[in-house]
Amino acid sequence: MRTSLCDELGIEHPVFGFTPSEHVAAAISRAGGLGVLGCVRFNEAEDLDRALAWMDENCDGKPYGVDVVMPATVPAEGTQIDLSSLIPQSHKDFVQQTLLKLGVPPLPEGEGGEGVLGWLHSVARSHVDVALEHPIRLIANALGSPPADVIDRVHAAGVPVAALAGKAEHARRHVANGVDVVVAQGYEAGGHTGEVATMVLVPEIVDAVDVPVLAAGGIGSGRQAAAAMALGASGVWMGSYWLTTAEYTQSPLTQQALLAASSSDTVRTRIYTGKPARLLRTRWTEAWSEPGAPEPLPMPLQNLLVSEAHQRIARSGDPSVVSMPVGQVVGRMTEVRPVAEVMADLLREYGETVERLAGLDR
Ligand SMILES: Cc1cc2nc3c(=O)[nH]c(=O)nc-3n(C[C@H](O)[C@H](O)[C@H](O)COP(=O)(O)O)c2cc1C
């Protein structure tokens, strides 16, 4: 499954693995792909520095990348108190009443913090600063092109920049802004998604830009990877599938919920951040679509509104209420397996598929 991107980035297979876990990211890189560590959960630059130092020790010298979240429209950066005063009391009441109804206990005295702040530009910039002190081989950005000065700095360090796109128009804009690799992420993907399915989006973006395009959204097998390459992609970018690997130890509760889910058990909703994102459908997501539930707030207010709820849910021990981004490919995620095994299976099935296709009549 080699493409020219492999030589450019020094990887064996063009399998890019987005993950919030440094353990999973390192395992993906060791298995010959490119592990890409999601930085958004690191509020403190020192914590990210420690995670990357750990990766430097545990990737066996193989390349890895990072992913930052710099929304194209800069959310107002004030203190959390300023922003939270913009949240209607009725929304706060709804969250409290819903948690009570779902049986999610309050946090123990003294627990709970400020929630995830990595989407603030000041924090995301600190992620870039820290990442550039490590031997990273790629920086990806989630919600738009990174600002021009960030792209320039990353390029000056000899590191290519990738950006996610849900429309051909986004991809064209990224390339005009200096982005080197476009991740064409379809509707079925976990996390923030647009409205165009991977099958339609990938060839549209491949035709629209003259840089390598990675296919994302709905990929969890060699057949799906082969389909992505048939659509013109230079590699695959997977996020959900790594959540049920043995190395993902951040949340056994979430893993339990994911293993039980079918491909119909996801929902695209604004309740996670204020922008449409695909999540596992649970009693928490369902509560937001009941009659009388409020409209989610715009980013970043929704992040702040549900931040404490997410911490309470994570601590609750109840898989039926988890709040977790995951794509429709969750239906294939039926057992916990080591990353190396997932990668080996994907590559084996990819090889078999390509061979089968080569044997078909034209
Ligand atoms: C739990 C989770 C968190 C995600 N967070 C981010 C993120 O912080 N930044 C980003 O660029 N993409 C994020 N994504 C999207 C992935 O990068 C990737 O594009 C997507 O998972 C691909 O589709 P798939 O879920 O069908 O594999 C996330 C996906 C998941 C499942």
Side-chain angles (χ1 to χ4, degrees):
M1 198 179 168
R2 280 192 84 78
T3 62
S4 58
L5 258 190
C6 295
D7 298 329
E8 243 167 78
L9 300 174
I11 54 179
E12 266 173 83
H13 317 291
V15 176
F16 293 71
F18 169 90
T19 168
S21 157
E22 62 270 31
H23 297 270
V24 176
I28 294 168
S29 288
R30 287 196 306 268
L34 192 85
V36 179
L37 180 66
C39 298
V40 72
R41 73 180 171 86
F42 295 93
N43 287 355
E44 302 298 334
E46 304 84 71
D47 293 338
L48 175 61
D49 194 32
R50 250 192 306 278
L52 294 180
W54 184 89
M55 287 187 65
D56 294 338
E57 294 295 310
N58 289 278
C59 283
D60 291 353
K62 303 280 179 72
Y64 68 86
V66 298
D67 175 282
V68 298
V69 178
M70 284 189 177
T73 342
V74 184
E77 288 219 35
T79 66
Q80 201 164 346
I81 295 161
D82 288 339
L83 284 172
S84 70
S85 69
L86 301 174
I87 298 175
Q89 187 58 41
S90 53
H91 277 73
K92 295 180 186 169
D93 292 345
F94 171 79
V95 169
Q96 291 308 319
Q97 283 156 14
T98 301
L99 292 172
L100 191 67
K101 212 161 68 186
L102 298 177
V104 178
L107 292 173
E109 193 75 28
E111 267 196 32
E114 43 200 351
V116 171
L117 297 180
W119 43 268
L120 290 171
H121 269 224
S122 56
V123 181
R125 279 176 180 274
S126 79
H127 293 158
V128 174
D129 292 342
V130 166
L132 288 176
E133 286 166 16
H134 293 265
I136 53 158
R137 293 298 291 269
L138 184 75
I139 288 194
N141 189 44
L143 297 169
S145 309
D149 66 299
V150 172
I151 295 185
D152 288 349
R153 275 188 58 214
V154 175
H155 281 167
V159 175
V161 176
L164 276 69
K167 281 183 182 179
E169 184 191 321
H170 297 160
R172 277 192 212 97
R173 208 179 311 142
H174 288 332
V175 173
N177 290 340
V179 164
D180 310 285
V181 175
V182 172
V183 180
Q185 192 206 246
Y187 172 81
E188 53 271 67
H192 292 115
T193 56
E195 288 179 328
V196 185
T198 305
M199 186 74 152
V200 173
L201 184 71
V202 173
E204 218 167 87
I205 292 189
V206 167
D207 292 347
V209 297
D210 56 3
V211 301
V213 174
L214 304 176
I219 298 169
S221 70
R223 276 172 294 162
Q224 287 160 329
M229 302 306 272
L231 295 174
S234 299
V236 295
W237 173 281
M238 297 158 55
S240 295
Y241 216 67
W242 313 109
L243 295 171
T244 47
T245 55
E247 289 84 351
Y248 184 78
T249 52
Q250 273 169 19
S251 175
L253 178 74
T254 304
Q255 252 184 356
Q256 207 182 317
L258 297 177
L259 291 170
S262 79
S263 53
S264 305
D265 293 329
T266 69
V267 57
R268 184 171 172 269
T269 167
R270 294 202 300 110
I271 70 170
Y272 198 70
T273 63
K275 287 183 185 288
R278 187 170 298 286
L279 308 181
L280 185 68
R281 188 198 304 275
T282 64
R283 292 197 300 136
W284 167 249
T285 61
E286 291 294 88
W288 283 85
S289 51
E290 277 172 15
E295 270 296 300
L297 300 169
M299 192 176 209
L301 299 183
Q302 185 71 15
N303 294 53
L304 297 176
L305 172 67
V306 296
S307 156
E308 194 219 2
H310 284 170
Q311 296 173 55
R312 283 173 61 174
I313 285 170
R315 244 192 152 276
S316 73
D318 180 357
S320 77
V321 293
V322 300
S323 180
M324 186 66 186
V326 76
Q328 293 178 342
V329 76
V330 68
R332 297 187 71 84
M333 294 156 51
T334 53
E335 55 180 333
V336 174
R337 291 185 307 155
V339 165
E341 204 177 302
V342 168
M343 184 73 94
D345 266 9
L346 187 139
L347 295 170
R348 181 190 43 75
E349 194 184 276
Y350 174 83
E352 287 167 6
T353 308
V354 171
E355 232 168 77
R356 179 165 56 79
L357 294 178
L360 291 180
D361 284 344
R362 295 194 179 194

